[in-house]
Amino acid sequence: MPRKLLLPYKSVFSHFRAPRGSHASSAMNAARSGYRVFSANSTAACTELAKRITERLGAELGKSVVYQETNGETRVEIKESVRGQDIFIIQTIPRDVNTAVMELLIMAYALKTSCARNIIGVIPYFPYSKQSKMRKRGSIVCKLLASMLAKAGLTHIITMDLHQKEIQGFFSFPVDNLRASPFLLQYIQEEIPDYRNAVIVAKSPDAAKRAQSYAERLRLGLAVIHGEAQCTEQDMDDGRHSPPMVKNATVHPGLELPLMMAKEKPPITVVGDVGGRIAIIVDDIIDDVESFVAAAEILKERGAYKIFVMATHGLLSADAPRLIEESSIDEVVVTNTVPHEVQKLQCPKIKTVDISLILSEAIRRIHNGESMAYLFRNITVDD
Protein backbone atom coordinates (compact mmCIF):
# COMPACT_ATOMS: atom_id res chain seq x y z
CA MET A 1 0.00 0.00 0.00
CA PRO A 2 1.67 3.29 -1.07
CA ARG A 3 2.40 5.83 1.63
CA LYS A 4 0.75 9.22 1.41
CA LEU A 5 2.80 12.19 0.25
CA LEU A 6 3.38 15.08 2.63
CA LEU A 7 0.64 17.68 2.67
CA PRO A 8 2.06 20.86 1.08
CA TYR A 9 2.05 24.15 2.97
CA LYS A 10 -0.31 25.68 0.41
CA SER A 11 -3.23 23.61 1.62
CA VAL A 12 -2.54 23.61 5.35
CA PHE A 13 -2.16 27.40 5.45
CA SER A 14 -4.97 28.21 3.02
CA HIS A 15 -7.12 29.57 5.86
CA PHE A 16 -4.52 32.23 6.57
CA ARG A 17 -5.14 34.45 3.52
CA ALA A 18 -6.69 37.76 4.53
CA PRO A 19 -10.15 38.47 3.07
CA ARG A 20 -10.57 41.31 0.57
CA GLY A 21 -11.42 44.68 1.94
CA SER A 22 -10.08 43.90 5.40
CA HIS A 23 -6.54 45.26 5.02
CA ALA A 24 -7.21 48.73 6.49
CA SER A 25 -8.98 47.49 9.62
CA SER A 26 -6.46 44.65 10.01
CA ALA A 27 -3.58 47.11 9.78
CA MET A 28 -5.10 49.16 12.62
CA ASN A 29 -5.55 45.99 14.65
CA ALA A 30 -1.93 45.03 14.00
CA ALA A 31 -0.75 48.37 15.35
CA ARG A 32 -2.99 48.08 18.42
CA SER A 33 -1.97 44.49 19.09
CA GLY A 34 1.69 45.48 19.27
CA TYR A 35 3.56 44.46 16.13
CA ARG A 36 4.76 46.23 13.01
CA VAL A 37 6.50 45.01 9.86
CA PHE A 38 9.23 47.10 8.21
CA SER A 39 11.27 46.65 5.06
CA ALA A 40 14.97 47.42 5.45
CA ASN A 41 15.29 48.35 1.80
CA SER A 42 13.23 50.88 -0.15
CA THR A 43 13.85 49.59 -3.70
CA ALA A 44 10.88 48.05 -5.50
CA ALA A 45 12.58 44.69 -6.12
CA CYS A 46 13.48 44.23 -2.46
CA THR A 47 10.11 45.37 -1.06
CA GLU A 48 8.15 42.91 -3.23
CA LEU A 49 8.50 40.04 -0.75
CA ALA A 50 7.74 42.37 2.17
CA LYS A 51 4.50 43.46 0.48
CA ARG A 52 3.43 39.87 -0.12
CA ILE A 53 4.01 39.03 3.54
CA THR A 54 2.10 42.03 4.86
CA GLU A 55 -0.80 41.29 2.51
CA ARG A 56 -1.08 37.81 3.97
CA LEU A 57 -0.92 39.26 7.48
CA GLY A 58 -3.56 41.86 6.65
CA ALA A 59 -1.19 44.62 7.73
CA GLU A 60 0.67 47.52 6.16
CA LEU A 61 4.40 48.09 5.91
CA GLY A 62 5.74 50.32 8.64
CA LYS A 63 6.60 53.88 7.64
CA SER A 64 10.33 54.27 7.20
CA VAL A 65 12.84 55.75 4.76
CA VAL A 66 16.07 53.98 3.80
CA TYR A 67 18.45 55.71 1.40
CA GLN A 68 22.10 56.29 0.54
CA GLU A 69 23.79 59.63 1.11
CA THR A 70 25.86 61.14 -1.68
CA ASN A 71 28.99 59.95 0.14
CA GLY A 72 27.72 56.35 0.19
CA GLU A 73 26.59 56.25 3.81
CA THR A 74 23.29 54.55 4.65
CA ARG A 75 20.61 56.55 6.44
CA VAL A 76 17.47 55.10 8.05
CA GLU A 77 14.56 57.12 9.39
CA ILE A 78 11.66 55.53 11.29
CA LYS A 79 8.51 57.59 10.65
CA GLU A 80 6.20 56.22 13.37
CA SER A 81 6.25 55.17 17.02
CA VAL A 82 7.44 51.62 17.77
CA ARG A 83 7.64 51.88 21.55
CA GLY A 84 6.82 48.60 23.27
CA GLN A 85 5.99 46.75 20.03
CA ASP A 86 7.31 43.61 18.35
CA ILE A 87 9.07 44.77 15.19
CA PHE A 88 9.77 42.48 12.24
CA ILE A 89 12.40 43.71 9.77
CA ILE A 90 12.22 42.04 6.36
CA GLN A 91 15.48 42.22 4.49
CA THR A 92 16.03 40.49 1.16
CA ILE A 93 19.60 40.53 -0.06
CA PRO A 94 20.17 42.09 -3.51
CA ARG A 95 23.45 42.01 -5.38
CA ASP A 96 24.94 44.73 -3.18
CA VAL A 97 25.29 42.50 -0.12
CA ASN A 98 27.28 44.85 2.09
CA THR A 99 24.82 47.72 1.66
CA ALA A 100 21.96 45.37 2.57
CA VAL A 101 23.79 44.29 5.72
CA MET A 102 24.36 47.90 6.77
CA GLU A 103 20.71 48.76 6.13
CA LEU A 104 19.65 45.91 8.40
CA LEU A 105 22.12 46.82 11.15
CA ILE A 106 21.24 50.52 11.12
CA MET A 107 17.48 49.92 11.07
CA ALA A 108 17.76 47.42 13.95
CA TYR A 109 19.76 49.91 15.99
CA ALA A 110 17.31 52.73 15.17
CA LEU A 111 14.42 50.57 16.39
CA LYS A 112 16.35 49.57 19.50
CA THR A 113 16.96 53.19 20.43
CA SER A 114 13.26 53.90 19.73
CA CYS A 115 12.34 51.46 22.53
CA ALA A 116 10.94 48.60 20.46
CA ARG A 117 10.16 45.61 22.70
CA ASN A 118 11.52 42.87 20.39
CA ILE A 119 13.30 43.20 17.05
CA ILE A 120 13.00 40.15 14.82
CA GLY A 121 14.95 39.98 11.57
CA VAL A 122 13.25 38.16 8.69
CA ILE A 123 16.23 37.35 6.46
CA PRO A 124 15.17 34.63 3.99
CA TYR A 125 18.68 34.34 2.52
CA PHE A 126 21.33 34.85 5.19
CA PRO A 127 24.38 36.58 3.64
CA TYR A 128 27.93 35.30 4.10
CA SER A 129 26.56 31.84 4.92
CA LYS A 130 29.19 30.26 2.68
CA GLN A 131 31.90 31.80 4.86
CA SER A 132 31.05 29.72 7.90
CA LYS A 133 34.27 27.69 8.07
CA MET A 134 37.92 28.58 8.52
CA ARG A 135 39.70 28.88 5.18
CA LYS A 136 43.47 29.19 5.19
CA ARG A 137 44.27 32.19 7.41
CA GLY A 138 41.00 34.01 6.90
CA SER A 139 38.06 34.37 9.26
CA ILE A 140 34.60 32.95 9.88
CA VAL A 141 32.71 35.98 8.56
CA CYS A 142 29.31 34.47 9.27
CA LYS A 143 30.13 34.40 13.00
CA LEU A 144 31.19 38.06 12.84
CA LEU A 145 27.88 38.99 11.18
CA ALA A 146 25.93 37.10 13.85
CA SER A 147 27.70 39.10 16.57
CA MET A 148 27.05 42.38 14.76
CA LEU A 149 23.32 41.64 14.46
CA ALA A 150 23.09 40.86 18.17
CA LYS A 151 24.96 44.06 19.04
CA ALA A 152 22.65 46.11 16.79
CA GLY A 153 19.64 44.95 18.78
CA LEU A 154 18.11 41.93 17.03
CA THR A 155 16.52 39.46 19.45
CA HIS A 156 15.40 36.75 17.01
CA ILE A 157 15.94 35.75 13.36
CA ILE A 158 13.72 33.98 10.86
CA THR A 159 15.68 32.62 7.91
CA MET A 160 15.39 29.83 5.35
CA ASP A 161 17.65 26.93 4.36
CA LEU A 162 20.92 28.06 5.90
CA HIS A 163 23.90 26.85 3.85
CA GLN A 164 25.20 25.08 6.96
CA LYS A 165 22.79 24.29 9.79
CA GLU A 166 25.60 24.76 12.31
CA ILE A 167 25.38 28.51 11.63
CA GLN A 168 22.52 28.62 14.15
CA GLY A 169 25.13 28.05 16.87
CA PHE A 170 26.83 31.36 16.01
CA PHE A 171 23.93 33.34 17.48
CA SER A 172 23.21 34.26 21.09
CA PHE A 173 19.45 34.48 20.42
CA PRO A 174 16.86 32.16 18.78
CA VAL A 175 17.11 31.38 15.06
CA ASP A 176 14.26 29.71 13.15
CA ASN A 177 15.68 28.02 10.05
CA LEU A 178 12.59 27.37 7.91
CA ARG A 179 12.56 25.00 4.91
CA ALA A 180 11.53 25.73 1.33
CA SER A 181 11.47 22.06 0.29
CA PRO A 182 7.67 21.60 0.75
CA PHE A 183 7.05 24.39 -1.78
CA LEU A 184 9.55 22.95 -4.26
CA LEU A 185 8.13 19.44 -3.79
CA GLN A 186 4.68 20.86 -4.49
CA TYR A 187 6.00 22.50 -7.66
CA ILE A 188 7.41 19.18 -8.86
CA GLN A 189 4.09 17.41 -8.26
CA GLU A 190 1.95 20.10 -9.89
CA GLU A 191 4.13 21.55 -12.67
CA ILE A 192 6.11 18.56 -13.96
CA PRO A 193 3.47 16.33 -15.61
CA ASP A 194 5.56 13.16 -15.82
CA TYR A 195 7.45 13.59 -12.54
CA ARG A 196 6.93 9.90 -11.70
CA ASN A 197 9.48 9.18 -14.43
CA ALA A 198 12.02 11.51 -12.81
CA VAL A 199 15.18 10.89 -10.82
CA ILE A 200 16.55 13.28 -8.19
CA VAL A 201 20.18 14.22 -8.84
CA ALA A 202 22.90 15.51 -6.51
CA LYS A 203 25.50 17.37 -8.56
CA SER A 204 28.16 16.46 -6.01
CA PRO A 205 28.42 14.05 -3.05
CA ASP A 206 27.98 17.04 -0.70
CA ALA A 207 24.41 17.51 -1.94
CA ALA A 208 23.50 13.83 -1.61
CA LYS A 209 21.62 14.19 1.70
CA ARG A 210 19.37 16.91 0.33
CA ALA A 211 18.75 14.90 -2.85
CA GLN A 212 17.99 11.79 -0.80
CA SER A 213 15.39 13.73 1.21
CA TYR A 214 13.62 14.82 -2.00
CA ALA A 215 13.80 11.32 -3.49
CA GLU A 216 12.33 9.65 -0.41
CA ARG A 217 9.46 12.12 -0.17
CA LEU A 218 8.57 11.81 -3.85
CA ARG A 219 9.24 8.03 -3.94
CA LEU A 220 11.73 8.53 -6.77
CA GLY A 221 15.18 7.22 -7.62
CA LEU A 222 18.44 8.94 -6.69
CA ALA A 223 21.58 9.68 -8.71
CA VAL A 224 24.85 11.31 -7.65
CA ILE A 225 27.47 12.90 -9.90
CA HIS A 226 30.99 12.24 -8.72
CA GLY A 227 34.37 12.73 -10.34
CA GLU A 228 37.11 15.06 -11.45
CA ALA A 229 34.82 17.80 -12.80
CA GLN A 230 33.51 18.62 -9.33
CA CYS A 231 35.10 21.10 -6.94
CA THR A 232 33.44 21.13 -3.54
CA GLU A 233 34.04 23.10 -0.37
CA GLN A 234 35.62 20.07 1.28
CA ASP A 235 38.34 20.10 -1.40
CA MET A 236 39.49 23.61 -0.53
CA ASP A 237 42.81 23.76 1.30
CA ASP A 238 42.30 25.41 4.68
CA GLY A 239 46.04 25.85 5.28
CA ARG A 240 46.03 24.37 8.76
CA HIS A 241 48.20 21.39 7.80
CA SER A 242 51.05 23.51 6.44
CA PRO A 243 54.02 24.15 8.77
CA PRO A 244 55.10 27.74 9.48
CA MET A 245 57.81 29.15 7.24
CA VAL A 246 60.63 29.24 9.77
CA LYS A 247 64.28 29.18 8.73
CA ASN A 248 66.40 26.36 10.14
CA ALA A 249 63.33 24.66 11.60
CA THR A 250 64.21 21.49 13.47
CA VAL A 251 62.09 18.41 13.94
CA HIS A 252 62.35 16.11 16.91
CA PRO A 253 64.44 13.15 15.72
CA GLY A 254 61.97 10.62 17.12
CA LEU A 255 58.90 12.27 15.55
CA GLU A 256 57.79 10.65 12.30
CA LEU A 257 54.29 11.74 11.27
CA PRO A 258 52.50 9.65 8.64
CA LEU A 259 52.22 11.40 5.27
CA MET A 260 48.71 12.31 4.14
CA MET A 261 48.22 11.13 0.57
CA ALA A 262 46.99 13.73 -1.89
CA LYS A 263 43.43 13.40 -3.19
CA GLU A 264 42.90 12.23 -6.72
CA LYS A 265 39.34 12.19 -8.01
CA PRO A 266 38.17 9.38 -10.27
CA PRO A 267 36.88 10.03 -13.79
CA ILE A 268 33.49 11.66 -13.72
CA THR A 269 30.74 9.17 -12.96
CA VAL A 270 26.97 9.26 -12.57
CA VAL A 271 26.02 6.85 -9.80
CA GLY A 272 22.46 5.88 -10.67
CA ASP A 273 20.41 5.41 -13.84
CA VAL A 274 19.17 8.56 -15.60
CA GLY A 275 18.64 7.11 -19.06
CA GLY A 276 15.22 7.97 -20.47
CA ARG A 277 14.34 9.90 -17.29
CA ILE A 278 13.66 13.47 -16.20
CA ALA A 279 16.65 14.65 -14.13
CA ILE A 280 15.90 17.04 -11.27
CA ILE A 281 19.05 18.58 -9.75
CA VAL A 282 18.44 19.93 -6.24
CA ASP A 283 20.61 22.26 -4.13
CA ASP A 284 20.22 25.10 -1.64
CA ILE A 285 21.94 27.90 -3.60
CA ILE A 286 22.39 28.53 -7.30
CA ASP A 287 24.88 31.34 -7.78
CA ASP A 288 27.62 30.75 -10.36
CA VAL A 289 25.92 28.26 -12.63
CA GLU A 290 28.93 26.66 -14.32
CA SER A 291 28.74 23.53 -12.17
CA PHE A 292 25.01 23.15 -12.86
CA VAL A 293 25.55 23.61 -16.61
CA ALA A 294 28.33 21.00 -16.55
CA ALA A 295 26.12 18.59 -14.60
CA ALA A 296 23.31 19.09 -17.14
CA GLU A 297 25.66 18.25 -20.03
CA ILE A 298 26.74 15.03 -18.29
CA LEU A 299 23.15 14.02 -17.60
CA LYS A 300 22.23 14.65 -21.25
CA GLU A 301 25.10 12.41 -22.33
CA ARG A 302 23.81 9.71 -19.96
CA GLY A 303 20.37 9.79 -21.57
CA ALA A 304 18.26 12.21 -19.49
CA TYR A 305 15.70 13.80 -21.81
CA LYS A 306 14.69 16.75 -19.62
CA ILE A 307 16.66 18.57 -16.91
CA PHE A 308 15.34 20.74 -14.10
CA VAL A 309 17.39 22.62 -11.50
CA MET A 310 15.70 23.44 -8.18
CA ALA A 311 17.19 25.58 -5.42
CA THR A 312 15.97 27.70 -2.54
CA HIS A 313 18.13 30.76 -3.14
CA GLY A 314 18.52 32.02 -6.72
CA LEU A 315 21.44 34.44 -6.51
CA LEU A 316 22.16 33.94 -10.24
CA SER A 317 25.25 36.15 -10.29
CA ALA A 318 27.30 37.42 -13.23
CA ASP A 319 26.36 35.78 -16.57
CA ALA A 320 24.10 33.15 -15.00
CA PRO A 321 20.98 33.99 -17.09
CA ARG A 322 22.89 33.79 -20.37
CA LEU A 323 24.63 30.54 -19.42
CA ILE A 324 21.33 28.96 -18.39
CA GLU A 325 19.65 30.05 -21.62
CA GLU A 326 22.44 28.53 -23.72
CA SER A 327 22.68 25.30 -21.68
CA SER A 328 20.90 21.94 -21.74
CA ILE A 329 18.89 22.95 -18.66
CA ASP A 330 15.17 23.11 -19.43
CA GLU A 331 14.05 25.01 -16.34
CA VAL A 332 15.55 26.60 -13.22
CA VAL A 333 13.13 26.84 -10.29
CA VAL A 334 14.01 29.06 -7.32
CA THR A 335 12.08 30.76 -4.54
CA ASN A 336 11.72 34.50 -4.01
CA THR A 337 14.09 34.67 -1.03
CA VAL A 338 16.35 36.78 -3.26
CA PRO A 339 15.15 39.36 -5.83
CA HIS A 340 15.81 38.06 -9.37
CA GLU A 341 13.27 39.81 -11.59
CA VAL A 342 16.00 41.19 -13.85
CA GLN A 343 17.44 37.70 -14.39
CA LYS A 344 13.97 36.38 -15.27
CA LEU A 345 13.64 38.99 -17.99
CA GLN A 346 16.98 37.87 -19.41
CA CYS A 347 16.17 34.15 -19.24
CA PRO A 348 12.61 32.79 -19.51
CA LYS A 349 13.80 29.41 -18.21
CA ILE A 350 13.91 30.84 -14.66
CA LYS A 351 10.71 30.22 -12.66
CA THR A 352 9.79 31.47 -9.18
CA VAL A 353 8.03 29.79 -6.26
CA ASP A 354 6.51 32.11 -3.65
CA ILE A 355 7.43 31.34 -0.01
CA SER A 356 5.76 34.38 1.62
CA LEU A 357 3.10 32.06 3.07
CA ILE A 358 5.40 30.32 5.53
CA LEU A 359 7.22 33.55 6.44
CA SER A 360 3.96 35.33 7.26
CA GLU A 361 2.80 32.37 9.35
CA ALA A 362 6.12 32.38 11.23
CA ILE A 363 5.68 36.10 12.00
CA ARG A 364 2.14 35.52 13.25
CA ARG A 365 3.17 32.62 15.49
CA ILE A 366 6.17 34.40 16.99
CA HIS A 367 4.14 37.50 17.81
CA ASN A 368 1.31 35.46 19.36
CA GLY A 369 3.71 33.27 21.32
CA GLU A 370 2.57 30.11 19.51
CA SER A 371 4.72 27.05 18.88
CA MET A 372 6.78 26.96 15.70
CA ALA A 373 6.74 23.15 15.63
CA TYR A 374 3.86 23.15 13.14
CA LEU A 375 6.16 24.70 10.53
CA PHE A 376 8.70 21.90 11.01
CA ARG A 377 6.37 18.92 10.71
CA ASN A 378 8.17 15.87 9.24
CA ILE A 379 11.41 17.85 9.01
CA THR A 380 14.41 15.72 10.00
CA VAL A 381 17.95 16.69 10.95
CA ASP A 382 19.24 15.90 7.44
CA ASP A 383 16.62 18.04 5.65
Side-chain angles (χ1 to χ4, degrees), residues 317-334:
S317 302
D319 292 331
R322 179 182 60 81
L323 294 173
I324 293 170
E325 187 66 25
E326 297 172 356
S327 73
S328 301
I329 298 172
D330 292 282
E331 197 167 281
V332 173
V333 183
V334 293

Side-chain angles (χ1 to χ4, degrees), residues 56-362:
R56 292 186 182 279
L57 289 168
E60 293 181 357
L61 276 177
K63 297 180 177 64
S64 64
V65 178
V66 182
Y67 61 95
Q68 310 299 316
E69 298 276 14
T70 54
N71 61 2
E73 293 182 357
T74 300
R75 184 175 291 274
V76 175
E77 297 177 4
I78 308 299
K79 297 294 187 179
E80 60 184 280
S81 174
V82 296
R83 183 179 297 273
Q85 297 190 34
D86 291 336
I87 305 300
F88 295 86
I89 308 174
I90 300 172
Q91 178 64 313
T92 53
I93 307 299
R95 292 193 176 188
D96 191 352
V97 178
N98 295 327
T99 298
V101 169
M102 286 306 300
E103 289 170 346
L104 179 60
L105 291 170
I106 295 171
M107 177 168 277
Y109 190 67
L111 293 165
K112 177 183 177 182
T113 54
S114 299
C115 300
R117 181 174 64 177
N118 293 305
I119 304 171
I120 300 95
V122 183
I123 315 169
Y125 168 65
F126 195 80
Y128 289 99
S129 57
K130 286 188 175 182
Q131 298 189 48
S132 58
K133 296 180 180 180
M134 181 65 74
R135 300 297 181 198
K136 295 187 177 179
R137 292 163 185 85
S139 60
I140 304 175
V141 182
C142 196
K143 175 66 171 71
L144 171 64
L145 181 55
S147 302
M148 293 167 65
L149 292 172
K151 191 68 176 178
L154 287 179
T155 58
H156 197 140
I157 278 182
I158 302 170
T159 188
M160 182 164 282
D161 282 334
L162 286 169
H163 188 57
Q164 300 288 343
K165 297 179 184 66
E166 295 79 4
I167 290 173
Q168 290 177 269
F170 293 166
F171 294 87
S172 57
F173 50 78
V175 176
D176 287 309
N177 182 27
L178 304 176
R179 304 296 195 275
S181 52
F183 296 92
L184 297 175
L185 288 168
Q186 179 179 310
Y187 185 93
I188 293 172
Q189 293 173 261
E190 295 181 355
E191 302 297 332
I192 303 178
D194 197 20
Y195 83 91
R196 289 293 184 187
N197 188 37
V199 59
I200 304 299
V201 180
K203 70 179 179 67
S204 68
D206 291 341
K209 282 187 177 180
R210 182 182 299 274
Q212 181 182 357
S213 174
Y214 276 69
E216 290 176 353
R217 282 168 162 74
L218 293 168
R219 319 297 187 254
L220 299 177
L222 176 67
V224 180
I225 299 175
H226 177 54
E228 60 186 6
Q230 302 299 320
C231 180
T232 65
E233 291 184 4
Q234 275 69 18
D235 299 327
M236 297 173 66
D237 182 14
D238 64 6
R240 288 177 290 182
H241 68 279
S242 58
M245 298 296 291
V246 181
K247 292 183 179 180
N248 302 324
T250 58
V251 180
H252 192 279
L255 184 63
E256 293 185 5
L257 296 176
L259 180 65
M260 177 63 75
M261 296 179 64
K263 286 185 179 180
E264 183 175 342
K265 289 190 174 181
I268 196 155
T269 307
V270 178
V271 182
D273 181 22
V274 297
R277 303 283 192 89
I278 299 172
I280 304 175
I281 305 172
V282 296
D283 213 333
D284 63 329
I285 299 173
I286 176 167
D287 189 1
D288 297 324
V289 299
E290 285 87 352
S291 60
F292 291 92
V293 171
E297 294 295 334
I298 295 162
L299 293 170
K300 276 288 186 183
E301 292 174 4
R302 299 299 193 277
Y305 71 89
K306 207 166 188 180
I307 299 170
F308 290 80
V309 175
M310 311 201 78
T312 303
H313 310 296
L315 304 187
L316 303 169
S317 302
D319 292 331
R322 179 182 60 81
L323 294 173
I324 293 170
E325 187 66 25
E326 297 172 356
S327 73
S328 301
I329 298 172
D330 292 282
E331 197 167 281
V332 173
V333 183
V334 293
T335 72
N336 54 346
T337 56
V338 177
H340 54 265
E341 294 304 316
V342 174
Q343 292 91 325
K344 286 180 69 175
L345 293 174
Q346 297 170 347
C347 177
K349 291 183 179 180
I350 300 171
K351 309 296 181 184
T352 306
V353 175
D354 181 26
I355 44 81
S356 61
L357 188 62
I358 190 173
L359 294 174
S360 58
E361 179 67 3

